[in-house]
Amino acid sequence: MEGDWKGPVNLGTQRETTIGKLAEIIIRMVTEKTGGEGDVSKIGINYIAKTEDDPFRRVPDCHTALKVLGWKPEMELEDGVERTIEWHLGLRREKEILELGSFEGASATWMLDNFMDHPESRLNAIHTSQGSTEHKENPDSDDKYRVDPLENRFLADVSKSKQRNKIRIMKAQSHKTLTELRNEACRFDFIYVDASLVAIDVVYDAVNCWAMLKPLGMMVFGDVLCKEYVEDCCDPWIVVEAFVRCVEPEVEIEETEEQMWVKRVRHHVDPTRNPDPTLYNWDRGLKRRY
């Protein structure tokens, strides 16, 4: 933009796409990303007569952009449309948030402050006020972490948020509450899984939360690398890693130092049937230990 070029520069792609085809792409993607909600799948295309002198075909010549600016398109049409749709679907929409394991309330307060702008948004916090094994009082330790006043610390923390009236506190363990939420047909835009760090408990939490996560929803696993127990089979990481592999066709993954962010970007993808009957019995590379 700061060069000496004085003439026009076209920015575009050499791929020809009709407006009708573009409309079909948008309808299909919106339907997939909303799970068909809002009767989007019933939207049709209305063809009308073109106006006088309306150009029937346009293909920009973008050679000047490449020569002068070094610019060329780097994203396919479908990818750009998908990102645009995701942006619009997320604008000012009410959000249903679920948190497993609120503990002292720091994460709940952050979500209240950052996700609750819409008047109909709500944070559902599963909170036992009991902490977990790493927070139990150790009589042999000089640095005792008391869980007795945990409920007071939680309430004091969330009360600092201007959106504190939008939190629904469920004082129970996740395995009971998740069953109730599924029976109520609840669905969530964002789920933070940070309750029990025992692997078998994380299995239950992950599977039930996934069933309630909306298309384009985000599920975050906290403390995934926590090594709280001597037995490797109890570590949460083995569950999170296996879970991510199971849902890989439908998600985008981002890892941080202590968390795994899983975004549901596609509707359910059916598995492909194995066409070779000789391969029905999977070659067990790992020897059974039982």
Side-chain angles (χ1 to χ4, degrees):
M1 297 301 175
E2 297 178 357
D4 298 328
W5 183 260
K6 301 299 183 182
V9 178
N10 292 324
L11 300 179
T13 175
Q14 303 301 120
R15 172 183 168 184
E16 294 188 60
T17 304
T18 66
I19 297 300
K21 179 63 176 178
L22 178 61
E24 292 174 0
I25 293 173
I26 294 173
I27 292 174
R28 173 176 57 81
M29 286 190 175
V30 171
T31 303
E32 290 176 353
K33 291 182 176 298
T34 59
E37 295 177 353
D39 293 329
V40 178
S41 59
K42 297 181 181 180
I43 297 176
I45 301 175
N46 184 25
Y47 292 93
I48 61 176
K50 71 182 188 71
T51 58
E52 186 177 357
D53 297 328
D54 189 18
F56 182 75
R57 182 182 180 188
R58 283 179 177 163
V59 182
D61 184 347
C62 300
H63 290 93
T64 302
L66 179 61
K67 180 180 178 181
V68 176
L69 303 177
W71 181 93
K72 62 180 179 180
E74 297 180 352
M75 183 178 297
E76 293 295 332
L77 173 66
E78 288 79 2
D79 294 333
V81 171
E82 184 175 28
R83 291 193 182 188
T84 303
I85 290 172
E86 290 180 358
W87 184 80
H88 279 284
L89 289 177
L91 282 181
R92 305 299 296 175
R93 186 183 67 181
E94 69 276 13
K95 293 180 176 62
E96 283 287 337
I97 312 296
L98 175 64
E99 181 184 30
L100 280 62
S102 295
F103 194 48
E104 288 187 298
S107 54
T109 303
W110 184 89
M111 286 185 278
L112 286 171
D113 291 339
N114 290 275
F115 290 153
M116 298 290 114
D117 289 341
H118 194 282
E120 300 300 323
S121 292
R122 181 173 63 171
L123 169 61
N124 304 268
I126 299 177
H127 173 62
T128 64
S129 301
Q130 297 175 2
S132 54
T133 55
E134 77 270 27
H135 303 117
K136 301 301 182 184
E137 185 175 3
N138 182 356
D140 299 324
S141 174
D142 294 331
D143 185 21
K144 299 177 182 179
Y145 196 100
R146 298 183 58 83
V147 298
D148 298 345
L150 185 57
E151 176 74 5
N152 292 334
R153 294 203 299 271
F154 170 77
L155 295 175
D157 212 353
V158 298
S159 67
K160 299 174 184 177
S161 173
K162 295 180 180 180
Q163 309 289 355
R164 55 187 175 274
N165 62 318
K166 297 178 182 177
I167 186 171
R168 171 194 180 191
I169 301 173
M170 294 167 283
K171 198 171 180 179
Q173 294 184 337
S174 61
H175 70 272
K176 178 181 179 180
T177 308
L178 291 177
T179 300
E180 295 174 351
L181 292 173
R182 290 193 65 178
N183 289 338
E184 295 172 8
C186 294
R187 303 189 75 192
F188 299 98
D189 301 280
F190 186 94
I191 302 176
Y192 188 53
V193 182
D194 193 20
S196 171
L197 296 177
V198 179
I200 193 65
D201 295 336
V202 181
V203 171
Y204 188 90
D205 291 345
V207 172
N208 280 279
C209 288
W210 178 254
M212 295 186 286
L213 187 67
K214 294 180 181 179
L216 299 182
M218 180 76 76
M219 189 157 76
V220 181
F221 293 91
D223 293 327
V224 294
L225 296 181
C226 178
K227 183 60 180 173
E228 185 178 342
Y229 307 102
V230 174
E231 298 83 4
D232 292 342
C233 63
C234 292
D235 293 343
W237 173 249
I238 65 173
V239 174
V240 176
E241 183 180 35
F243 172 80
V244 167
R245 291 184 64 184
C246 290
V247 299
E248 185 176 5
E250 305 174 36
V251 302
E252 291 179 354
I253 307 296
E254 184 174 345
E255 296 182 53
T256 66
E257 186 174 347
E258 297 181 352
Q259 298 174 330
M260 177 75 77
W261 291 64
V262 182
K263 183 178 182 181
R264 191 172 204 162
V265 295
R266 297 178 181 85
H267 202 49
H268 176 68
V269 177
D270 292 324
T272 304
R273 185 75 177 178
N274 182 5
D276 187 351
T278 64
L279 300 178
Y280 280 172
N281 292 321
W282 180 48
D283 182 13
R284 296 173 177 83
L286 298 175
K287 299 296 183 183
R288 288 187 176 181
R289 294 177 291 176
Y290 47 88

